[in-house]
Amino acid sequence: MQFSIATMILALSALSTASVIVERQNGGRVVPTGACCVANTSVKQDTCTTAAGAAGRCVPGGNACGGSLSCVATANLECDAAIIERGKSLCRTKVAGGFIDGANVITSLSQAKVN
């Protein structure tokens, strides 16, 4: 199989662009993959990829992660663009009767502990 130099340059360019986009998503921090975000590294609202491969965010609560943030799929989050947390809209995991905010269930995103 033969590849032209132009094809190789285009492929390398695409790879480097993709890595820059991933790095910028979390301010240079790693983009976690799995049920839990990276302990002592990830911050609330960081972009992550769930164990099922879905796009998500690092949020307090949602999975059994001990003291680490949970990586929750976007489809399972409720977000409020009027409340900003870490430079992004505030999101929390949806549950019956409200939203998970750490160890608490809140009924409104305005009750979330924001930092």
Side-chain angles (χ1 to χ4, degrees):
M1 203 184 313
Q2 293 182 346
F3 295 102
S4 71
I5 292 176
T7 302
M8 296 300 287
I9 291 172
L10 182 62
L12 290 173
S13 173
L15 285 174
S16 66
T17 301
S19 67
V20 168
I21 291 170
V22 167
E23 284 181 18
R24 288 184 184 165
Q25 286 179 335
N26 290 340
R29 293 177 301 281
V30 67
V31 175
T33 299
C36 302
C37 295
V38 181
N40 301 318
T41 302
S42 297
V43 297
K44 291 179 185 177
Q45 309 311 328
D46 269 358
T47 300
C48 63
T49 304
T50 67
R57 291 224 192 146
C58 296
V59 295
N63 299 321
C65 295
S68 298
L69 297 170
S70 297
C71 180
V72 178
T74 305
N76 297 328
L77 295 173
E78 182 73 27
C79 300
D80 186 342
I83 304 171
I84 303 300
E85 182 173 57
R86 302 283 183 171
K88 297 181 182 176
S89 59
L90 177 120
C91 296
R92 293 294 186 264
T93 306
K94 294 184 271 190
V95 294
F99 314 99
I100 298 176
D101 189 38
N104 303 314
V105 174
I106 57 175
T107 57
S108 169
L109 291 177
S110 65
Q111 298 169 327
K113 182 179 177 189
V114 179
N115 58 6

